[in-house]
Amino acid sequence: MRLSRRLVLAAALAPLALSVIAPGAARAQQAPTSLLNASYDISRELFEAVNKEFVPAYKAKTGTEVKVDQSHAGSSKQARSIVEGLEADVVTFNQVTDIQFLVDKGFVAKDWQTRLPNAASPWYSFPAFLVRAGNPKNIKSWDDLVRDDVKLVFPNPKTSGNGRYTYLAAYAFALEKFNGDVAKTDAFVKKFLSNVVVFDTGGRGATTSFVEREQGDVLLSFEAEVISAKDAYKDKNFVVVVPPVSLLAEFPVAVVDKVVEKRGSRQLATDYLTFLYSPEGQTVAAKANNRVVDAKVAEKFKDRFAPVRLVKVEDVFGGWANVQKTQFASGGKLDELFVGQ
């Protein structure tokens, strides 16, 4: 695919990653020298870049050459695959609910969010817009996305974490716009959903529909994805539009306890995830247009990111557990508003 070819914590945490790759050849010699990272759909290029930094850093500290394999699909699908037998040592997802699913199935320990800084989320993003050259529909905010003359592309909220964030961001915007009036909010979001011309199953498919198949006026995806698409297709002169307000999208990571206990790969898996918080790992993420949590690295890359006010699922919807129950469960709000899609 053309796109695949072209795309590619604070200071206290700075020494953390490499220091936890503790010297000790004996330990490394007895442990597996490979691990599998199961990740979300659009993160392939990001983790290819992470692995290029991690592997030599690990070898320099331990003397051991390791290999990191990657598996990519919608994060909900990845979680189900692990339960069905995919032996992933670590998961790097885009939604807490997908790791909670693994907790509920006994694959990940309940305390996973306390094992790493920032509730086990090394960077973040949010739904943003990509529009065509010159922004011919003058798209500025969520209000513009319910106009009759504007057609949208974003992944299906029923199959994609990326799509669920977009749906929730639109709903959160409308709740605020209408001062909590649920009936008006529902009407806004129903119109928003009806303006979508294609619901791909994942984020990368949506990017391809917009960029290569030239469907729709606006692509909605994570900011990191829309900036990367703009940079990869400079000849198309796409424009990134960051709305004044959007929804915080965190990218939680976890060791898959059931798998690492079976394979004996816990230390390598832990070292890998800890590396994501190091200056090196944070720099890789920032270069891939993710907003990082290391203050020094974030400062270095601040010029590439537009200001935005981010609201949280916890504040607007009462947390992910409540979102799952009220919005995404069978017969929930999404089913109600998604009629005819």
Side-chain angles (χ1 to χ4, degrees):
M1 184 175 70
R2 185 184 180 195
L3 185 61
S4 296
R5 293 197 302 269
R6 300 180 63 175
L7 280 175
V8 185
L9 271 160
L13 288 171
L16 179 58
L18 295 181
S19 66
V20 298
I21 302 174
R27 182 201 72 181
Q29 287 171 356
Q30 297 171 0
T33 56
S34 68
L35 62 78
L36 175 61
N37 173 18
S39 193
Y40 55 98
D41 186 36
I42 63 172
S43 67
R44 184 181 303 277
E45 294 84 4
L46 168 60
F47 283 102
E48 286 176 352
V50 167
N51 297 342
K52 287 180 181 178
E53 295 291 331
F54 172 75
V55 169
Y58 191 86
K59 185 174 182 179
K61 285 292 182 181
T62 68
T64 300
E65 185 88 29
V66 296
K67 180 184 179 185
V68 183
D69 295 312
Q70 300 176 219
S71 173
H72 296 273
S75 62
S76 297
K77 181 179 180 181
Q78 292 289 64
R80 292 194 297 272
S81 295
I82 290 169
V83 172
E84 293 168 357
L86 179 66
E87 291 197 332
D89 303 272
V90 298
V91 292
T92 54
F93 284 172
N94 61 20
Q95 205 161 84
V96 169
T97 52
D98 294 322
I99 297 184
Q100 184 59 45
F101 175 77
L102 294 176
V103 173
D104 294 342
K105 296 295 182 181
F107 281 75
V108 172
K110 294 181 179 178
D111 66 346
W112 66 274
Q113 284 187 296
T114 68
R115 294 174 171 180
L116 291 164
N118 199 42
S121 180
W123 48 75
Y124 65 97
S125 192
F126 56 87
F129 314 152
L130 188 69
V131 300
R132 304 208 178 274
N135 193 3
K137 296 293 179 74
N138 194 28
I139 304 299
K140 296 179 180 178
S141 185
W142 298 94
D143 274 326
D144 298 309
L145 307 186
V146 296
R147 288 169 17 203
D148 290 337
D149 66 329
V150 175
K151 299 305 177 187
L152 314 177
V153 174
F154 64 86
N156 193 328
K158 290 182 175 292
T159 58
S160 166
N162 191 331
R164 286 194 288 275
Y165 273 115
T166 297
Y167 163 80
L168 290 174
Y171 203 96
F173 169 83
L175 271 176
E176 184 173 289
K177 173 183 174 68
F178 298 116
N179 296 315
D181 188 314
V182 173
K184 291 181 179 178
T185 297
D186 286 356
F188 180 97
V189 176
K190 191 169 186 176
K191 172 59 176 170
F192 171 77
L193 292 170
S194 73
N195 277 359
V196 178
V197 293
V198 57
F199 281 112
D200 290 285
T201 57
R204 185 52 52 83
T207 301
T208 300
S209 292
F210 180 81
V211 170
E212 298 189 352
R213 302 189 184 108
E214 300 187 343
Q215 294 183 288
D217 304 300
V218 187
L219 169 69
L220 294 92
S221 190
F222 295 132
E223 181 194 42
E225 176 75 351
V226 299
I227 295 177
S228 296
K230 176 182 74 67
D231 292 345
Y233 290 86
K234 294 184 182 299
D235 56 313
K236 292 184 178 291
N237 297 310
F238 292 131
V239 178
V240 172
V241 177
V242 173
V245 60
S246 193
L247 185 75
L248 174 67
E250 296 180 295
F251 297 87
V253 301
V255 168
V256 183
D257 296 90
K258 189 170 183 176
V259 173
V260 299
E261 288 300 319
K262 176 182 177 182
R263 297 188 66 240
S265 56
R266 178 176 295 281
Q267 189 61 57
L268 177 56
T270 301
D271 289 346
Y272 182 72
L273 294 187
T274 305
F275 180 79
L276 303 181
Y277 292 86
S278 70
E280 294 84 358
Q282 293 277 286
T283 298
V284 171
K287 287 181 176 177
N289 303 310
N290 293 280
R291 302 196 185 207
V292 298
V293 296
D294 183 300
K296 290 185 177 179
V297 177
E299 176 67 20
K300 183 178 178 181
F301 287 89
K302 67 177 183 180
D303 290 343
R304 70 170 60 190
F305 299 115
V308 62
R309 177 169 63 89
L310 296 178
V311 298
K312 299 181 179 180
V313 164
E314 291 77 8
D315 296 333
V316 178
F317 300 100
W320 282 108
N322 192 54
V323 164
Q324 189 64 30
K325 178 181 178 181
T326 62
Q327 297 284 340
F328 300 133
S330 180
K333 183 68 73 177
L334 178 60
D335 280 351
E336 177 186 339
L337 302 178
F338 214 46
V339 175
Q341 302 299 320

